[in-house]
Every structure is written in structure tokens, then in C-alpha cells.
Amino acid sequence: KWLPSAYVLALLLTLVAFLGAWGLTDSSLLDCVKYMSQGMYSLLSFTMQMVLVLVTGHCLASSKPVKKLLRSKNRVAATLTVALVGMIATYLNWGLGMIAGALVAKEIARVFKGRGVKVDYAVLIAACHAGNIIRGPSSSIPLEVTAESSIVYEIVGDIIPTTATLYSSWNLIITVLVLISGLITYALICPRESECIEIQQAVLDADAAREEAEEKAHAAKSWKDMDFAEKLDNFAPLAI
């Protein structure tokens, strides 16, 4: 009731930071505007990465191949699908792996629950994070040591290229072995149907209720009937 949306909250905090920098430091109004514009545009690449993580993760979970796999009634195959998606996506980008794996895991749990086929939700959640043991092109440390500004360069006097770390033969072999052993592990620990811990219906009901509430929120509502958070979300100056 009192907490506005994340976007409005971010705008308000940005305004607080702007006013604080202007009033509590020696920076002029023009300086603060300059700092704000530079800082905002410096985050564009990261922002686009996060947008792509969300969009591609949702597209992956909604794609025909994944939906075809979701039609399977084999709980082991479903678990391996989540693990494989999580590991491959995390190898490509750690953020993508976190989103894509979780989306596929929850969707599989929801579909299987609706069909009356038991699949262990706890194992699905573990499988969607299986990729955390695999590091690929988005790994921070291997990328950091390729720059002359890194502390490693100051110590050893040279950079360490990705051909010696991420794309070295030994690392690629280990990555493949970890992927294969991970799939085998999740196939072995997948419990029998009688021992499966399904996703709670309350979780699915909460998701459905949240989606319904979001749809209702888009409906026309007078300013008088809005609560504090809704008034902030629909405050015209913030939208501008």
C-alpha cells in the first residue's frame, strides 16, 4: 500500500542523491547535472545486458523446443532440461543463467503440477543453479587480468590473455567434464515419484493473484481512489 514500484523508487532515490550532491557538496547545479548525465549513460551497456538477460530468458522459457520438452511426463528428462539450460546459459553469461534456469524450472514445475505428474521442485531449483560451477566469457576475474590496469599486471608485469584461462584447452576440457558429470549427478539424485516434493499450490496461486492484480492495476482508477503508492506510480511529473 505504501511502497511504490521499483521504477518510481529508483527515481526518488536518484532525486535525493542529486539534491544531496548539490546541497551538501561544493558542486554547482550544472556540475550535478553533468555528473548525473555521465553516470546514467555509463550504465547503458550494463542496463542493456540486464534487459537482454530478462528478454532472452523469457523467450527461452517460452520457445517451442522448451515447450515441447515441457510436454514430456518424464521427471528425469525435465530435471536434466533445467540443469542443461542453467549450465549452458550460465557459461554464456552468469546473469542469463540465473534468469533462464529459474524461469524454466518454475514453468516445468507449474506444467507438471497442472498435469498431476509429480516432479521434485527442490531438485529443479538446485538444477537451475547448476551452472554456477561453470565459468565462461562473462567471468570477471579472467577478463580483469587481461587489462594493464589490473593488480595482476602490477605484480607480474604482464597481462594474462583469455587464451591462457577461459579458452585454454585444459579449461574447456574441465568445463565439458563438469557439464557431463553434472547431468549424470542430477539424473541419479532425481527421486522416485512417491518421494517428490512438488511446488506448493500456494506459490502458483500467489503468482496468479499477482498477475491478476497487475491487470487490475492497469484499469482506469480515479486519483481519489488511489493509495499512496499508486499515486506515486501515476504521478505525471515523474513519468515525464
Side-chain angles (χ1 to χ4, degrees):
K1 182 178 180 180
W2 296 101
L3 189 64
S5 66
Y7 177 70
V8 172
L9 192 60
L11 289 178
L12 292 176
L13 292 176
T14 301
L15 181 61
V16 170
F18 180 86
L19 295 177
W22 182 26
L24 301 177
T25 68
D26 296 331
S27 300
S28 65
L29 177 61
L30 184 60
D31 290 334
C32 291
V33 172
K34 181 180 178 181
Y35 299 150
M36 184 175 179
S37 63
Q38 290 176 342
M40 182 181 299
Y41 286 104
S42 67
L43 295 174
L44 285 181
S45 58
F46 174 76
T47 302
M48 181 54 67
Q49 289 177 11
M50 294 301 103
V51 169
L52 289 175
V53 164
L54 293 173
V55 173
T56 54
H58 178 73
C59 291
L60 179 62
S62 305
S63 63
K64 290 183 179 179
V66 172
K67 286 185 176 181
K68 185 176 180 180
L69 290 171
L70 295 180
R71 289 197 292 267
S72 171
K73 293 185 178 180
N74 189 322
R75 64 184 184 281
V76 177
T79 303
L80 294 182
T81 298
V82 174
L84 184 62
V85 169
M87 286 190 283
I88 293 178
T90 303
Y91 178 80
L92 297 176
N93 184 282
W94 62 268
L96 175 61
M98 293 177 63
I99 299 297
L103 285 174
V104 174
K106 195 167 187 179
E107 183 65 15
I108 284 180
R110 185 189 67 80
V111 171
F112 272 60
K113 182 77 172 181
R115 292 175 180 168
V117 181
K118 289 186 176 181
V119 62
D120 197 288
Y121 190 49
V123 175
L124 287 180
I125 295 302
C128 79
H129 295 293
N132 286 327
I133 58 177
I134 294 178
R135 286 294 175 262
S138 65
S139 300
S140 301
I141 295 178
L143 295 178
E144 175 66 21
V145 297
T146 61
E148 295 183 358
S149 58
S150 68
I151 189 173
V152 174
Y153 182 83
E154 298 178 3
I155 296 174
V156 302
D158 196 4
I159 62 173
I160 302 178
T162 54
T163 53
T165 54
L166 289 175
Y167 305 116
S168 62
S169 58
W170 58 267
N171 186 65
L172 294 176
I173 292 173
I174 291 175
T175 300
V176 173
L177 291 177
V178 168
L179 190 149
I180 295 174
S181 60
L183 294 177
I184 295 175
T185 299
Y186 281 102
L188 293 176
I189 68 175
C190 192
R192 293 189 293 269
E193 186 174 356
S194 59
E195 300 174 344
C196 288
I197 302 175
E198 295 182 279
I199 186 173
Q200 296 181 1
Q201 186 61 43
V203 176
L204 300 177
D205 293 340
D207 287 345
R210 183 170 58 252
E211 292 177 359
E212 183 179 355
E214 290 176 353
E215 291 179 359
K216 290 182 179 180
H218 291 295
K221 198 172 185 179
S222 65
W223 182 265
K224 182 180 179 181
D225 295 332
M226 294 181 183
D227 55 36
F228 177 75
E230 290 174 330
K231 288 180 179 179
L232 280 179
D233 290 343
N234 293 276
F235 189 50
L238 288 178
I240 295 175

